Amino acid sequence: MLRSFDRLFIGGEWVRPSTGRSIAVISPHTEEVVATVPEASEADIDRAVAAARTAFDRGDWPHMGAAARAAVLERLLQLLREHQEELAVLITQEMGSPISFSRLGQTMASNMVLEYYVELARNFAFEELRDGLMGPVLVRREPVGVAACIVPWNVPLFTTMLKLAPALVAGATVVLKPAPETPVDALVLAELVERAGFPPGVVNVVPAGREVGEYLVCHPGVDKVAFTGSTQAGRRIASLCGERLKRCTLELGGKSAAIVLDDAPLESTIAGLVPAILMNNGQACVAQTRVLVSNRRYGEFVDALAQAFRDAAVGDPMDPNTVVGPLVSSRQRDRVEGYLRIGREEGARVVCGGGRPRHLAKGWYIEPTVFADVDNRMRIAQEEIFGPVAAVIPYETEEDAVRIANESDYGLSGSVWTQDVARGTEIARRVRTGTYTVNGFTLEFRAPFGGFKASGIGRELGPEGLLAYLEPKSISLPYGSHVPLRN
């Protein structure tokens, strides 16, 4: 059993919720309730925003030097390192991520993001003096204000840190709304925030569902919204923010294409592609779910990929040998099964998988599935499935492969596989997507992450992720002025 909570973290204190509503956290492996947490209401959102507003408008946090903020964040980083294994196990129990992935992609990666922003805080130029046409200009970058951070269930701590770390480095204050499927790790994070010594109201944690999340987005006390989730929800948030001229960054869905060139070695390419497709049970926006292979190598590649999928161990996510665990919920399994039916109806060929694993009587599992003979116009090639499903699409020429990769509403990630890195880099330059890798799958924390087209607005990670929480301000000075810079 996971730890249960009966209070929300608001204003630096653990407070009773305004209603008796609660969220039941259900294990996707056992289908049993493993924890309960309070469900925040609109009244609780009001309290959390008011606490964040007070901390920003009247508190010291926005006015502290960046080095002082970094020192507090470094204490949080040390606590996260001490609790890394506990959080990895907790997230696996919450949402079914294989423990091997949780240790790397859920917790270690989160710590690496925070470590990067602690380092950046100490070196970033929050002020600079420029030579203007009419005299010197002091250009400041000031915190955006109160940030509403709304995170999904698939990599809950990681997507939280993509927002929390740069927001706090900037001097903003935060209201964090975790997904109802994965609220426990966010409340454990709140305990560590409290122990790290953040001023009251700088970080507030309020688990809730979609309706209350929309209330948070629309709240007049919120200056900026940072959201990771589906493109459908992102469109709604963008509309609400647009009506209110509220800043927002949106990291949304993907249908990323892996282009396999004819010179790519079969064995090493398959070894690299399988984890890029099946990571986190296929529940990753950056998963390489469209695999583009030339007609000359199509048959051998489909056979090899299907065999690798058959060999991927499916089962208890706490088993370190498990490659594919359960999907997060019965609703998500129903969604994936719906796409398996659609693929067959559209004429795609199921080479392996295509149903529920017979050896597992409980849990929301789907077999790793390879579709062959896929046309890029099919729904299984155009819509995000969010499960352990790959669509292998044939192409004639490299130009044809680039065209197919770009024929998508999405543009989040992608990869090219070749022995010629220069040639692969040229293809990378032609694919309209926000992040790309030659011969692998990489998410580089010092570089911007985000998408083209329907994959989102704005960027996270790198200095660009910090700039998303800063407002530029120009202060014109008289000729000959020299003022000290503050950071």
Side-chain angles (χ1 to χ4, degrees):
M1 290 288 289
L2 295 174
R3 291 176 51 201
S4 292
F5 288 80
D6 61 2
R7 303 195 180 198
L8 305 169
F9 188 67
I10 297 175
E13 298 179 345
W14 293 93
V15 302
R16 293 192 180 279
S18 59
T19 74
R21 296 199 302 265
S22 64
I23 296 170
V25 180
I26 303 174
S27 162
H29 173 60
T30 66
E31 303 182 36
E32 297 173 354
V33 175
V34 291
T36 58
V37 304
E39 181 179 4
S41 67
E42 293 180 357
D44 298 313
I45 295 296
D46 287 338
R47 293 165 69 188
V49 173
R53 189 83 259 164
T54 298
F56 185 81
D57 292 340
R58 303 178 199 169
D60 295 331
W61 187 254
H63 310 292
M64 294 168 63
R69 289 196 294 268
V72 183
L73 285 163
E74 193 161 37
R75 291 198 294 272
L76 176 61
L77 175 60
Q78 182 58 42
L79 290 166
L80 283 165
R81 286 171 174 158
E82 292 172 8
H83 292 266
Q84 184 169 314
E85 177 66 11
E86 173 194 343
L87 282 161
V89 170
L90 189 162
I91 293 171
T92 289
Q93 293 173 332
E94 277 184 307
M95 56 74 59
S97 181
I99 188 62
S100 57
F101 182 83
S102 284
R103 287 172 175 146
L104 295 175
Q106 302 280 13
T107 56
M108 182 183 290
S110 302
N111 294 350
M112 291 170 68
V113 170
L114 181 53
E115 182 178 23
Y116 165 71
Y117 278 109
V118 168
E119 175 190 342
L120 184 63
R122 293 176 171 140
N123 299 291
F124 188 81
F126 287 88
E127 289 190 349
E128 61 175 305
L129 199 62
R130 299 182 188 175
D131 291 327
L133 295 176
M134 293 171 285
V137 180
L138 178 65
V139 178
R140 282 175 50 80
R141 295 178 178 90
E142 299 184 352
V144 70
V146 174
C149 299
I150 301 175
V151 299
W153 46 259
N154 62 328
V155 276
L157 185 61
F158 180 69
T159 50
T160 292
M161 206 54 66
L162 293 182
K163 298 160 181 56
L164 189 69
L168 296 177
V169 164
T173 59
V174 170
V175 177
L176 170 65
K177 191 204 81 65
E181 292 86 354
T182 52
V184 181
D185 65 278
L187 292 168
V188 171
L189 174 63
E191 291 181 329
L192 303 184
V193 164
E194 182 180 31
R195 288 176 56 190
F198 283 83
V202 170
V203 179
N204 307 273
V205 181
V206 281
R210 177 170 293 181
E211 290 183 4
V212 172
E214 185 164 312
Y215 181 79
L216 174 60
V217 167
C218 297
H219 202 289
V222 168
D223 299 297
K224 186 250 170 59
V225 176
F227 171 77
T228 298
S230 72
T231 295
Q232 180 183 3
R235 286 193 173 101
R236 174 64 176 165
I237 290 172
S239 174
L240 295 170
C241 289
E243 290 173 4
R244 292 157 179 80
L245 293 179
K246 187 173 294 191
R247 284 93 177 110
C248 69
T249 50
L250 307 170
E251 196 277 286
L252 307 176
K255 194 69 181 177
S256 301
I259 299 175
V260 180
L261 300 187
D262 282 347
D263 68 338
L266 181 65
E267 186 175 341
S268 61
T269 300
I270 291 293
L273 263 177
V274 169
I277 299 168
L278 297 180
M279 70 175 87
N280 205 26
N281 311 331
Q283 298 169 133
C285 55
V286 293
Q288 311 291 288
T289 52
R290 288 187 297 153
V291 183
L292 280 51
V293 184
S294 79
N295 284 315
R296 293 171 291 281
R297 298 189 64 189
Y298 192 80
E300 67 166 343
F301 192 90
V302 167
D303 290 345
L305 183 64
Q307 188 57 54
F309 269 42
R310 292 187 194 101
D311 292 341
V314 180
D316 185 349
M318 283 302 300
D319 184 338
N321 295 313
T322 292
V323 175
V324 178
L327 300 181
V328 71
S329 65
S330 60
R331 181 185 70 253
Q332 185 63 21
R333 183 176 63 179
D334 290 345
R335 171 186 169 84
V336 174
E337 286 182 324
Y339 277 106
L340 298 180
R341 288 191 297 271
I342 289 167
R344 290 185 175 97
E345 291 166 0
E346 290 180 318
R349 173 168 56 95
V350 176
V351 186
C352 69
R356 302 181 184 183
R358 295 180 181 178
H359 68 286
L360 295 167
K362 272 191 173 184
W364 297 313
Y365 289 90
I366 288 288
E367 295 173 308
T369 300
V370 172
F371 277 110
D373 304 334
V374 177
D375 186 290
N376 195 53
R377 293 167 293 186
M378 293 178 178
R379 287 181 63 188
I380 59 168
Q382 288 294 315
E383 299 177 14
E384 189 174 39
I385 297 173
F386 231 57
V389 181
V392 189
I393 303 170
Y395 68 83
E396 290 289 342
T397 65
E398 290 180 14
E399 290 72 21
D400 189 36
V402 170
R403 175 189 60 79
I404 292 170
N406 284 332
E407 285 183 350
S408 172
D409 289 339
Y410 296 105
L412 185 59
S413 182
S415 59
V416 61
W417 303 77
T418 175
Q419 294 188 72
D420 187 339
V421 173
R423 184 177 166 205
T425 303
E426 272 307 306
I427 285 179
R429 290 184 172 120
R430 294 162 59 195
V431 178
R432 289 191 51 77
T433 188
T435 56
Y436 210 83
T437 306
V438 179
N439 293 338
F441 169 77
T442 303
L443 190 59
E444 173 53 59
F445 300 157
R446 293 174 178 267
F449 169 64
F452 290 17
K453 300 184 279 188
S455 286
I457 297 172
R459 294 295 183 268
E460 296 181 315
L461 290 174
E464 293 81 0
L466 175 57
L467 291 171
Y469 295 89
L470 293 168
E471 293 275 26
K473 174 194 263 184
S474 299
I475 303 175
S476 296
L477 303 171
Y479 273 111
S481 299
H482 296 282
V483 295
L485 300 181
R486 291 170 54 185
N487 283 316

PDB file of all heavy atoms in Angstrom, residues 341-367:
ATOM      1  N   ARG A 341      -8.450  -2.248 -32.859  1.00  0.00           N
ATOM      2  CA  ARG A 341      -9.570  -2.577 -33.754  1.00  0.00           C
ATOM      3  C   ARG A 341      -9.540  -1.702 -35.001  1.00  0.00           C
ATOM      4  O   ARG A 341      -9.730  -2.186 -36.124  1.00  0.00           O
ATOM      5  CB  ARG A 341     -10.901  -2.407 -33.019  1.00  0.00           C
ATOM      6  CG  ARG A 341     -11.179  -3.464 -31.968  1.00  0.00           C
ATOM      7  CD  ARG A 341     -12.607  -3.396 -31.473  1.00  0.00           C
ATOM      8  NE  ARG A 341     -12.896  -2.133 -30.802  1.00  0.00           N
ATOM      9  CZ  ARG A 341     -12.702  -1.928 -29.497  1.00  0.00           C
ATOM     10  NH1 ARG A 341     -12.206  -2.902 -28.741  1.00  0.00           N
ATOM     11  NH2 ARG A 341     -13.003  -0.774 -28.942  1.00  0.00           N
ATOM     12  N   ILE A 342      -9.301  -0.418 -34.794  1.00  0.00           N
ATOM     13  CA  ILE A 342      -9.264   0.516 -35.921  1.00  0.00           C
ATOM     14  C   ILE A 342      -8.174   0.115 -36.911  1.00  0.00           C
ATOM     15  O   ILE A 342      -8.381   0.122 -38.142  1.00  0.00           O
ATOM     16  CB  ILE A 342      -9.041   1.956 -35.413  1.00  0.00           C
ATOM     17  CG1 ILE A 342     -10.295   2.463 -34.698  1.00  0.00           C
ATOM     18  CG2 ILE A 342      -8.658   2.893 -36.566  1.00  0.00           C
ATOM     19  CD1 ILE A 342     -10.075   3.744 -33.906  1.00  0.00           C
ATOM     20  N   GLY A 343      -7.006  -0.250 -36.409  1.00  0.00           N
ATOM     21  CA  GLY A 343      -5.911  -0.643 -37.288  1.00  0.00           C
ATOM     22  C   GLY A 343      -6.287  -1.818 -38.163  1.00  0.00           C
ATOM     23  O   GLY A 343      -6.005  -1.833 -39.382  1.00  0.00           O
ATOM     24  N   ARG A 344      -6.917  -2.822 -37.572  1.00  0.00           N
ATOM     25  CA  ARG A 344      -7.342  -3.979 -38.355  1.00  0.00           C
ATOM     26  C   ARG A 344      -8.382  -3.580 -39.401  1.00  0.00           C
ATOM     27  O   ARG A 344      -8.334  -4.022 -40.555  1.00  0.00           O
ATOM     28  CB  ARG A 344      -7.918  -5.041 -37.418  1.00  0.00           C
ATOM     29  CG  ARG A 344      -6.882  -5.723 -36.514  1.00  0.00           C
ATOM     30  CD  ARG A 344      -7.537  -6.841 -35.722  1.00  0.00           C
ATOM     31  NE  ARG A 344      -6.581  -7.601 -34.932  1.00  0.00           N
ATOM     32  CZ  ARG A 344      -6.335  -7.398 -33.652  1.00  0.00           C
ATOM     33  NH1 ARG A 344      -6.963  -6.412 -32.997  1.00  0.00           N
ATOM     34  NH2 ARG A 344      -5.461  -8.144 -33.002  1.00  0.00           N
ATOM     35  N   GLU A 345      -9.343  -2.756 -38.970  1.00  0.00           N
ATOM     36  CA  GLU A 345     -10.402  -2.332 -39.890  1.00  0.00           C
ATOM     37  C   GLU A 345      -9.849  -1.519 -41.058  1.00  0.00           C
ATOM     38  O   GLU A 345     -10.383  -1.565 -42.172  1.00  0.00           O
ATOM     39  CB  GLU A 345     -11.453  -1.508 -39.130  1.00  0.00           C
ATOM     40  CG  GLU A 345     -12.266  -2.327 -38.141  1.00  0.00           C
ATOM     41  CD  GLU A 345     -13.046  -1.465 -37.160  1.00  0.00           C
ATOM     42  OE1 GLU A 345     -12.944  -0.209 -37.261  1.00  0.00           O
ATOM     43  OE2 GLU A 345     -13.738  -2.024 -36.296  1.00  0.00           O
ATOM     44  N   GLU A 346      -8.773  -0.775 -40.811  1.00  0.00           N
ATOM     45  CA  GLU A 346      -8.180   0.036 -41.865  1.00  0.00           C
ATOM     46  C   GLU A 346      -7.326  -0.785 -42.836  1.00  0.00           C
ATOM     47  O   GLU A 346      -6.893  -0.272 -43.872  1.00  0.00           O
ATOM     48  CB  GLU A 346      -7.315   1.141 -41.253  1.00  0.00           C
ATOM     49  CG  GLU A 346      -8.112   2.232 -40.546  1.00  0.00           C
ATOM     50  CD  GLU A 346      -7.217   3.306 -39.958  1.00  0.00           C
ATOM     51  OE1 GLU A 346      -6.162   2.959 -39.376  1.00  0.00           O
ATOM     52  OE2 GLU A 346      -7.570   4.495 -40.073  1.00  0.00           O
ATOM     53  N   GLY A 347      -7.062  -2.033 -42.497  1.00  0.00           N
ATOM     54  CA  GLY A 347      -6.311  -2.905 -43.389  1.00  0.00           C
ATOM     55  C   GLY A 347      -4.875  -3.130 -42.992  1.00  0.00           C
ATOM     56  O   GLY A 347      -4.127  -3.793 -43.734  1.00  0.00           O
ATOM     57  N   ALA A 348      -4.451  -2.606 -41.845  1.00  0.00           N
ATOM     58  CA  ALA A 348      -3.097  -2.880 -41.381  1.00  0.00           C
ATOM     59  C   ALA A 348      -2.999  -4.328 -40.890  1.00  0.00           C
ATOM     60  O   ALA A 348      -3.986  -4.924 -40.458  1.00  0.00           O
ATOM     61  CB  ALA A 348      -2.711  -1.918 -40.269  1.00  0.00           C
ATOM     62  N   ARG A 349      -1.807  -4.884 -40.940  1.00  0.00           N
ATOM     63  CA  ARG A 349      -1.579  -6.278 -40.564  1.00  0.00           C
ATOM     64  C   ARG A 349      -0.918  -6.359 -39.195  1.00  0.00           C
ATOM     65  O   ARG A 349       0.132  -5.751 -38.974  1.00  0.00           O
ATOM     66  CB  ARG A 349      -0.699  -6.948 -41.626  1.00  0.00           C
ATOM     67  CG  ARG A 349      -0.237  -8.357 -41.291  1.00  0.00           C
ATOM     68  CD  ARG A 349       0.374  -9.031 -42.513  1.00  0.00           C
ATOM     69  NE  ARG A 349       1.464  -8.260 -43.091  1.00  0.00           N
ATOM     70  CZ  ARG A 349       2.757  -8.455 -42.811  1.00  0.00           C
ATOM     71  NH1 ARG A 349       3.116  -9.407 -41.941  1.00  0.00           N
ATOM     72  NH2 ARG A 349       3.692  -7.723 -43.407  1.00  0.00           N
ATOM     73  N   VAL A 350      -1.544  -7.100 -38.290  1.00  0.00           N
ATOM     74  CA  VAL A 350      -0.951  -7.318 -36.976  1.00  0.00           C
ATOM     75  C   VAL A 350       0.100  -8.412 -37.089  1.00  0.00           C
ATOM     76  O   VAL A 350      -0.216  -9.567 -37.370  1.00  0.00           O
ATOM     77  CB  VAL A 350      -2.030  -7.704 -35.937  1.00  0.00           C
ATOM     78  CG1 VAL A 350      -1.375  -8.024 -34.597  1.00  0.00           C
ATOM     79  CG2 VAL A 350      -3.052  -6.601 -35.777  1.00  0.00           C
ATOM     80  N   VAL A 351       1.357  -8.033 -36.851  1.00  0.00           N
ATOM     81  CA  VAL A 351       2.454  -8.990 -36.960  1.00  0.00           C
ATOM     82  C   VAL A 351       2.703  -9.687 -35.628  1.00  0.00           C
ATOM     83  O   VAL A 351       3.027 -10.872 -35.585  1.00  0.00           O
ATOM     84  CB  VAL A 351       3.738  -8.282 -37.433  1.00  0.00           C
ATOM     85  CG1 VAL A 351       4.848  -9.298 -37.683  1.00  0.00           C
ATOM     86  CG2 VAL A 351       3.475  -7.482 -38.696  1.00  0.00           C
ATOM     87  N   CYS A 352       2.535  -8.963 -34.523  1.00  0.00           N
ATOM     88  CA  CYS A 352       2.637  -9.573 -33.199  1.00  0.00           C
ATOM     89  C   CYS A 352       1.767  -8.764 -32.248  1.00  0.00           C
ATOM     90  O   CYS A 352       1.468  -7.590 -32.489  1.00  0.00           O
ATOM     91  CB  CYS A 352       4.076  -9.616 -32.708  1.00  0.00           C
ATOM     92  SG  CYS A 352       4.780  -8.008 -32.324  1.00  0.00           S
ATOM     93  N   GLY A 353       1.355  -9.406 -31.148  1.00  0.00           N
ATOM     94  CA  GLY A 353       0.512  -8.715 -30.173  1.00  0.00           C
ATOM     95  C   GLY A 353      -0.907  -8.575 -30.670  1.00  0.00           C
ATOM     96  O   GLY A 353      -1.475  -9.474 -31.287  1.00  0.00           O
ATOM     97  N   GLY A 354      -1.495  -7.434 -30.343  1.00  0.00           N
ATOM     98  CA  GLY A 354      -2.852  -7.155 -30.809  1.00  0.00           C
ATOM     99  C   GLY A 354      -3.945  -7.427 -29.797  1.00  0.00           C
ATOM    100  O   GLY A 354      -5.128  -7.312 -30.110  1.00  0.00           O
ATOM    101  N   GLY A 355      -3.579  -7.792 -28.564  1.00  0.00           N
ATOM    102  CA  GLY A 355      -4.609  -8.067 -27.558  1.00  0.00           C
ATOM    103  C   GLY A 355      -4.045  -7.982 -26.155  1.00  0.00           C
ATOM    104  O   GLY A 355      -3.008  -7.364 -25.909  1.00  0.00           O
ATOM    105  N   ARG A 356      -4.724  -8.650 -25.223  1.00  0.00           N
ATOM    106  CA  ARG A 356      -4.272  -8.702 -23.835  1.00  0.00           C
ATOM    107  C   ARG A 356      -3.405  -9.940 -23.620  1.00  0.00           C
ATOM    108  O   ARG A 356      -3.698 -11.004 -24.169  1.00  0.00           O
ATOM    109  CB  ARG A 356      -5.469  -8.753 -22.886  1.00  0.00           C
ATOM    110  CG  ARG A 356      -6.425  -7.586 -23.032  1.00  0.00           C
ATOM    111  CD  ARG A 356      -7.583  -7.695 -22.040  1.00  0.00           C
ATOM    112  NE  ARG A 356      -8.555  -6.613 -22.236  1.00  0.00           N
ATOM    113  CZ  ARG A 356      -9.632  -6.425 -21.478  1.00  0.00           C
ATOM    114  NH1 ARG A 356      -9.873  -7.260 -20.454  1.00  0.00           N
ATOM    115  NH2 ARG A 356     -10.457  -5.417 -21.723  1.00  0.00           N
ATOM    116  N   PRO A 357      -2.349  -9.833 -22.826  1.00  0.00           N
ATOM    117  CA  PRO A 357      -1.512 -11.014 -22.561  1.00  0.00           C
ATOM    118  C   PRO A 357      -2.287 -12.076 -21.784  1.00  0.00           C
ATOM    119  O   PRO A 357      -2.926 -11.784 -20.772  1.00  0.00           O
ATOM    120  CB  PRO A 357      -0.343 -10.449 -21.746  1.00  0.00           C
ATOM    121  CG  PRO A 357      -0.782  -9.114 -21.258  1.00  0.00           C
ATOM    122  CD  PRO A 357      -1.841  -8.617 -22.175  1.00  0.00           C
ATOM    123  N   ARG A 358      -2.219 -13.305 -22.264  1.00  0.00           N
ATOM    124  CA  ARG A 358      -3.024 -14.376 -21.668  1.00  0.00           C
ATOM    125  C   ARG A 358      -2.533 -14.803 -20.297  1.00  0.00           C
ATOM    126  O   ARG A 358      -3.297 -15.366 -19.503  1.00  0.00           O
ATOM    127  CB  ARG A 358      -3.032 -15.584 -22.615  1.00  0.00           C
ATOM    128  CG  ARG A 358      -3.720 -15.307 -23.948  1.00  0.00           C
ATOM    129  CD  ARG A 358      -3.694 -16.536 -24.846  1.00  0.00           C
ATOM    130  NE  ARG A 358      -4.333 -16.273 -26.126  1.00  0.00           N
ATOM    131  CZ  ARG A 358      -4.413 -17.154 -27.120  1.00  0.00           C
ATOM    132  NH1 ARG A 358      -3.853 -18.367 -26.970  1.00  0.00           N
ATOM    133  NH2 ARG A 358      -5.009 -16.851 -28.250  1.00  0.00           N
ATOM    134  N   HIS A 359      -1.259 -14.552 -19.999  1.00  0.00           N
ATOM    135  CA  HIS A 359      -0.711 -15.062 -18.739  1.00  0.00           C
ATOM    136  C   HIS A 359      -1.002 -14.138 -17.553  1.00  0.00           C
ATOM    137  O   HIS A 359      -0.622 -14.450 -16.424  1.00  0.00           O
ATOM    138  CB  HIS A 359       0.803 -15.267 -18.869  1.00  0.00           C
ATOM    139  CG  HIS A 359       1.596 -14.003 -19.001  1.00  0.00           C
ATOM    140  ND1 HIS A 359       1.611 -13.251 -20.157  1.00  0.00           N
ATOM    141  CD2 HIS A 359       2.409 -13.351 -18.117  1.00  0.00           C
ATOM    142  CE1 HIS A 359       2.405 -12.205 -19.983  1.00  0.00           C
ATOM    143  NE2 HIS A 359       2.900 -12.238 -18.760  1.00  0.00           N
ATOM    144  N   LEU A 360      -1.688 -13.004 -17.790  1.00  0.00           N
ATOM    145  CA  LEU A 360      -1.967 -12.049 -16.720  1.00  0.00           C
ATOM    146  C   LEU A 360      -3.476 -11.921 -16.530  1.00  0.00           C
ATOM    147  O   LEU A 360      -4.177 -11.367 -17.382  1.00  0.00           O
ATOM    148  CB  LEU A 360      -1.347 -10.683 -17.045  1.00  0.00           C
ATOM    149  CG  LEU A 360       0.190 -10.665 -17.116  1.00  0.00           C
ATOM    150  CD1 LEU A 360       0.681  -9.376 -17.748  1.00  0.00           C
ATOM    151  CD2 LEU A 360       0.778 -10.841 -15.720  1.00  0.00           C
ATOM    152  N   ALA A 361      -3.971 -12.455 -15.416  1.00  0.00           N
ATOM    153  CA  ALA A 361      -5.413 -12.437 -15.171  1.00  0.00           C
ATOM    154  C   ALA A 361      -5.897 -11.079 -14.696  1.00  0.00           C
ATOM    155  O   ALA A 361      -7.061 -10.718 -14.881  1.00  0.00           O
ATOM    156  CB  ALA A 361      -5.772 -13.513 -14.129  1.00  0.00           C
ATOM    157  N   LYS A 362      -5.006 -10.303 -14.051  1.00  0.00           N
ATOM    158  CA  LYS A 362      -5.360  -8.981 -13.547  1.00  0.00           C
ATOM    159  C   LYS A 362      -4.408  -7.946 -14.119  1.00  0.00           C
ATOM    160  O   LYS A 362      -3.313  -8.258 -14.570  1.00  0.00           O
ATOM    161  CB  LYS A 362      -5.295  -8.949 -12.017  1.00  0.00           C
ATOM    162  CG  LYS A 362      -6.565  -9.364 -11.320  1.00  0.00           C
ATOM    163  CD  LYS A 362      -6.471  -9.025  -9.834  1.00  0.00           C
ATOM    164  CE  LYS A 362      -7.803  -9.276  -9.145  1.00  0.00           C
ATOM    165  NZ  LYS A 362      -7.743  -8.867  -7.722  1.00  0.00           N
ATOM    166  N   GLY A 363      -4.848  -6.717 -14.023  1.00  0.00           N
ATOM    167  CA  GLY A 363      -4.016  -5.615 -14.484  1.00  0.00           C
ATOM    168  C   GLY A 363      -4.426  -5.144 -15.867  1.00  0.00           C
ATOM    169  O   GLY A 363      -4.978  -5.901 -16.667  1.00  0.00           O
ATOM    170  N   TRP A 364      -4.135  -3.876 -16.158  1.00  0.00           N
ATOM    171  CA  TRP A 364      -4.586  -3.242 -17.407  1.00  0.00           C
ATOM    172  C   TRP A 364      -3.474  -3.339 -18.456  1.00  0.00           C
ATOM    173  O   TRP A 364      -2.865  -2.342 -18.853  1.00  0.00           O
ATOM    174  CB  TRP A 364      -4.991  -1.802 -17.125  1.00  0.00           C
ATOM    175  CG  TRP A 364      -6.162  -1.756 -16.172  1.00  0.00           C
ATOM    176  CD1 TRP A 364      -7.301  -2.481 -16.237  1.00  0.00           C
ATOM    177  CD2 TRP A 364      -6.278  -0.946 -14.996  1.00  0.00           C
ATOM    178  NE1 TRP A 364      -8.137  -2.191 -15.181  1.00  0.00           N
ATOM    179  CE2 TRP A 364      -7.533  -1.249 -14.398  1.00  0.00           C
ATOM    180  CE3 TRP A 364      -5.462   0.003 -14.373  1.00  0.00           C
ATOM    181  CZ2 TRP A 364      -7.985  -0.625 -13.235  1.00  0.00           C
ATOM    182  CZ3 TRP A 364      -5.905   0.610 -13.222  1.00  0.00           C
ATOM    183  CH2 TRP A 364      -7.149   0.297 -12.663  1.00  0.00           C
ATOM    184  N   TYR A 365      -3.244  -4.567 -18.911  1.00  0.00           N
ATOM    185  CA  TYR A 365      -2.121  -4.863 -19.800  1.00  0.00           C
ATOM    186  C   TYR A 365      -2.553  -4.952 -21.260  1.00  0.00           C
ATOM    187  O   TYR A 365      -3.674  -5.358 -21.579  1.00  0.00           O
ATOM    188  CB  TYR A 365      -1.473  -6.194 -19.397  1.00  0.00           C
ATOM    189  CG  TYR A 365      -0.709  -6.134 -18.100  1.00  0.00           C
ATOM    190  CD1 TYR A 365      -1.329  -6.403 -16.883  1.00  0.00           C
ATOM    191  CD2 TYR A 365       0.644  -5.798 -18.096  1.00  0.00           C
ATOM    192  CE1 TYR A 365      -0.625  -6.345 -15.690  1.00  0.00           C
ATOM    193  CE2 TYR A 365       1.358  -5.750 -16.904  1.00  0.00           C
ATOM    194  CZ  TYR A 365       0.715  -6.015 -15.706  1.00  0.00           C
ATOM    195  OH  TYR A 365       1.414  -5.941 -14.524  1.00  0.00           O
ATOM    196  N   ILE A 366      -1.630  -4.591 -22.144  1.00  0.00           N
ATOM    197  CA  ILE A 366      -1.776  -4.767 -23.583  1.00  0.00           C
ATOM    198  C   ILE A 366      -0.471  -5.366 -24.103  1.00  0.00           C
ATOM    199  O   ILE A 366       0.622  -4.945 -23.701  1.00  0.00           O
ATOM    200  CB  ILE A 366      -2.049  -3.421 -24.298  1.00  0.00           C
ATOM    201  CG1 ILE A 366      -3.468  -2.926 -23.995  1.00  0.00           C
ATOM    202  CG2 ILE A 366      -1.838  -3.542 -25.809  1.00  0.00           C
ATOM    203  CD1 ILE A 366      -4.578  -3.716 -24.688  1.00  0.00           C
ATOM    204  N   GLU A 367      -0.577  -6.346 -24.998  1.00  0.00           N
ATOM    205  CA  GLU A 367       0.626  -6.922 -25.592  1.00  0.00           C
ATOM    206  C   GLU A 367       1.351  -5.881 -26.465  1.00  0.00           C
ATOM    207  O   GLU A 367       0.699  -5.106 -27.166  1.00  0.00           O
ATOM    208  CB  GLU A 367       0.240  -8.097 -26.490  1.00  0.00           C
ATOM    209  CG  GLU A 367      -0.366  -9.280 -25.786  1.00  0.00           C
ATOM    210  CD  GLU A 367      -0.869 -10.316 -26.771  1.00  0.00           C
ATOM    211  OE1 GLU A 367      -1.631  -9.959 -27.682  1.00  0.00           O
ATOM    212  OE2 GLU A 367      -0.469 -11.489 -26.625  1.00  0.00           O
TER     213      GLU A 367
END
